[in-house]
Amino acid sequence: MAGKTGPIAIDAEGRFAGYASLFNVRDASGDMVMPGAFALSLARRRGRIRLLFQHDPKEPVGIWEAIGEDATGLFVAGRLVPGVPRADALRRLIDNRAIDGLSIGFRTVRATRAGGLRRLWQIELFEVSIVTFPMLEDARIAPSSLNTGAAIAAATQTIRKP
């Protein structure tokens, strides 16, 4: 790609990966996703979770090739679709480290509240977006050196279960 130092976050085919959500971490709105919160939704909606830009349903930019829970959170691996103007622009922006946020679009199914914190125990996941400012600071596209084989294998196993 652009010849920058260090590992890149996106490859020549527009593939990238990272964590869209982390378990047991409070986000800027006071939500905390709990382990297992995505399990039922991933089982039901496999293959129908969209890859959008800024949560805009008019801005699909690619496909998720793998989505799954591991001990850390919701790991995603996706590919931007070439020829889609926004996807082509995002590929360049990610490659140049100008954007790297990830964010989930969901409906709360089961949650509890205590002391200003909402714990999300079960959610219906509809989409994961590439965003400028994620609500969860560490929900990011990861440099390729951090996209471990184990995390990719776990996510692939989850999404491809019959």
Side-chain angles (χ1 to χ4, degrees):
M1 301 294 304
K4 293 166 288 305
T5 60
I8 59 170
I10 193 163
D11 71 11
E13 286 78 42
R15 285 185 172 84
F16 64 95
Y19 281 94
S21 181
L22 301 173
F23 296 138
N24 299 306
V25 179
R26 183 183 184 134
D27 73 11
S29 70
D31 285 348
M32 179 184 291
V33 177
M34 306 309 293
F38 299 101
L40 290 175
S41 183
L42 291 176
R44 278 196 299 263
R45 297 187 47 77
R46 174 187 19 235
R48 295 182 314 187
I49 297 165
R50 302 298 177 222
L51 169 49
L52 304 178
F53 176 62
Q54 306 283 23
H55 299 293
D56 187 343
K58 295 180 213 156
E59 292 275 8
V61 293
I63 60 166
W64 292 117
E65 295 180 333
I67 303 175
E69 290 184 325
D70 65 15
T72 302
L74 183 69
F75 183 83
V76 295
R79 179 176 50 84
L80 297 173
V81 174
V84 174
R86 177 74 70 196
D88 292 340
L90 281 169
R91 185 170 160 229
R92 289 188 300 274
L93 290 166
I94 293 165
D95 185 46
N96 284 286
R97 297 176 172 93
I99 191 168
D100 66 353
L102 293 171
S103 182
I104 58 175
F106 64 95
R107 178 180 61 83
T108 303
V109 176
R110 188 168 57 91
T112 56
R113 279 192 193 276
L117 176 67
R118 183 171 73 148
R119 285 187 169 83
L120 302 172
W121 297 96
Q122 183 182 354
I123 64 173
E124 190 72 21
L125 183 66
F126 294 105
E127 55 93 6
V128 178
S129 283
I130 297 170
V131 297
T132 308
F133 302 108
M135 291 295 282
L136 184 59
E137 183 60 33
D138 291 331
R140 302 282 175 175
I141 296 169
S144 59
S145 66
L146 300 179
N147 295 339
T148 66
I152 292 171
T156 303
Q157 180 73 10
T158 301
I159 199 169
R160 293 193 178 153
K161 283 184 182 173

